[in-house]
């Protein structure tokens, strides 16, 4: 026998009468079997950040025991002070039964808001790698451009251009390329929240701050990557540069 939630009835039974119906549960590591629906309960979100309800099926623990369970305790006092008492109560039942994690419901919700740590670390690693590759690309382009324009820079300096003028010219070129790339990337990123919502359920990327923080980080990286070849351009000897063709 099983108990289902309203979303299960709505999605799989088309809001029909669920009591007495039989469903087959395919559970990993167990033989598929038919169970009778004996009750319907309200929808409960498994994760606080979920935006929609999932179909849920509940079974008695003795009907299908599992290796680990989550136990929720209602407290009339500060729940953070009950950890030791809970461990003692569990030890009295079974001294070899471990408590993997004891936390209050607000702490659990805050933890869920942080997302899946592994997924966040993977995305962060890829983002950092992309930023490093972008810096290398900007540096390579500007360094190549400076090398190609050595003769031009020499002429400018021979005609009275100061080192600060040359520095600004090279930095302006780097910022121009970065701005074009950032604009294209931003335009391509606008539909990404819907794509990620479709691919990864419960992943929320609708943060307006991201569209300001990410371009700002890219421009800071571009300034640093451009500054090195720009400083090298200011050290060009006009006499040597004019003899290059």
């Amino acid at each position: 026998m099983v108990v289902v939630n309203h979303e299960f009835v709505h999605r799989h039974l088309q809001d029909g009468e669920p009591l007495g119906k039989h469903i087959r549960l395919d559970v990993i590591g167990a033989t598929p079997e038919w169970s009778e629906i004996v009750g319907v309960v309200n929808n409960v979100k498994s994760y606080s950040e979920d935006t929609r309800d999932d179909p849920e099926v509940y079974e008695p623990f003795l009907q299908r025991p599992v290796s680990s369970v989550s136990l929720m305790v209602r407290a009339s006092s500060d729940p953070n002070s009950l950890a030791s008492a809970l461990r003692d109560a569990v030890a009295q039942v079974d001294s070899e039964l471990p408590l993997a994690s004891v936390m209050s419901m607000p702490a659990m919700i805050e933890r869920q808001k942080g997302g899946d740590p592994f997924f966040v670390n993977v995305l962060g690693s890829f983002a950092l790698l992309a930023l490093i590759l972008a810096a290398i690309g900007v540096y390579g382009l500007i360094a190549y451009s400076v090398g190609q324009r050595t003769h031009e820079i020499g002429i400018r300096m021979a005609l009275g251009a100061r080192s600060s003028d040359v520095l600004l010219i090279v930095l302006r070129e780097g910022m121009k390329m970065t701005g074009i790339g950032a604009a294209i990337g931003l335009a391509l990123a606008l539909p990404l929240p819907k794509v990620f919502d479709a691919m990864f359920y419960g992943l929320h990327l609708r943060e307006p701050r991201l569209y300001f923080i990410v371009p700002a980080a890219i421009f800071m990286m571009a300034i640093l990557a451009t500054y090195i070849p720009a400083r090298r351009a200011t050290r060009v000897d006009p006499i040597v540069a004019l003899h290059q063709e």
Side-chain angles (χ1 to χ4, degrees):
M1 61 181 180
V2 296
V3 174
V4 299
N5 66 346
H6 287 296
E7 183 62 23
F8 183 95
V9 176
H10 172 70
R11 190 177 302 185
H12 297 295
L13 301 179
Q14 291 72 46
D15 293 322
E17 175 56 47
L19 300 181
K21 296 286 182 65
H22 287 77
I23 59 175
R24 193 179 75 165
L25 300 178
D26 293 331
V27 181
I28 298 177
T31 303
E33 57 184 31
W34 291 89
S35 300
E36 180 182 355
I37 299 177
V38 298
V40 180
V41 296
N42 289 328
N43 298 325
V44 177
K45 296 183 184 297
S46 300
Y47 296 93
S48 60
E49 297 299 294
D50 284 349
T51 57
R52 55 187 177 186
D53 296 311
D54 279 334
E56 299 284 352
V57 178
Y58 302 93
E59 292 184 279
F61 178 78
L62 295 179
Q63 179 173 306
R64 197 188 300 271
V66 293
S67 58
S68 62
V69 295
S70 297
L71 180 65
M72 186 179 299
V73 179
R74 176 178 293 179
S76 58
S77 59
D78 182 12
N80 295 313
S81 63
L82 300 178
S84 59
L86 287 174
R87 295 185 186 278
D88 293 338
V90 172
Q92 292 178 6
V93 177
D94 188 345
S95 59
E96 297 183 357
L97 185 63
L99 287 180
S101 178
V102 180
M103 64 179 64
S104 64
M105 185 57 68
M108 175 67 73
I109 294 175
E110 287 299 320
R111 183 176 181 180
Q112 290 180 355
K113 288 181 178 180
D116 185 352
F118 176 77
F119 191 69
V120 171
N121 291 334
V122 170
L123 284 182
S125 300
F126 277 111
L128 180 60
L129 179 61
L131 193 62
I132 293 174
L133 291 177
I136 295 174
V138 171
Y139 171 81
L141 284 174
I142 298 300
Y144 177 77
S145 176
V146 169
Q148 294 294 105
R149 298 174 61 181
T150 300
H151 189 71
E152 174 194 341
I153 293 173
I155 294 177
R156 288 177 180 273
M157 298 185 71
L159 293 177
R162 295 171 299 178
S163 298
S164 59
D165 298 328
V166 175
L167 184 66
L168 287 176
I169 291 173
V170 179
L171 287 176
R172 190 181 300 116
E173 180 181 352
M175 292 302 99
K176 180 181 178 181
M177 290 191 300
T178 303
I180 295 174
I184 296 174
L186 185 61
L188 295 176
L190 290 176
L192 284 182
K194 292 184 178 180
V195 175
F196 275 94
D197 278 346
M199 295 177 59
F200 306 101
Y201 170 65
L203 182 64
H204 309 288
L205 293 178
R206 294 181 180 85
E207 280 288 342
R209 293 176 297 177
L210 291 177
Y211 294 96
F212 296 97
I213 295 175
V214 173
I218 292 176
F219 274 102
M220 290 180 61
M221 171 275 302
I223 291 175
L224 293 175
T226 306
Y227 183 76
I228 297 176
R231 285 291 298 174
R232 187 179 300 132
T234 62
R235 299 190 180 96
V236 171
D237 188 344
I239 303 298
V240 176
L242 291 174
H243 284 81
Q244 295 182 359
E245 187 61 49

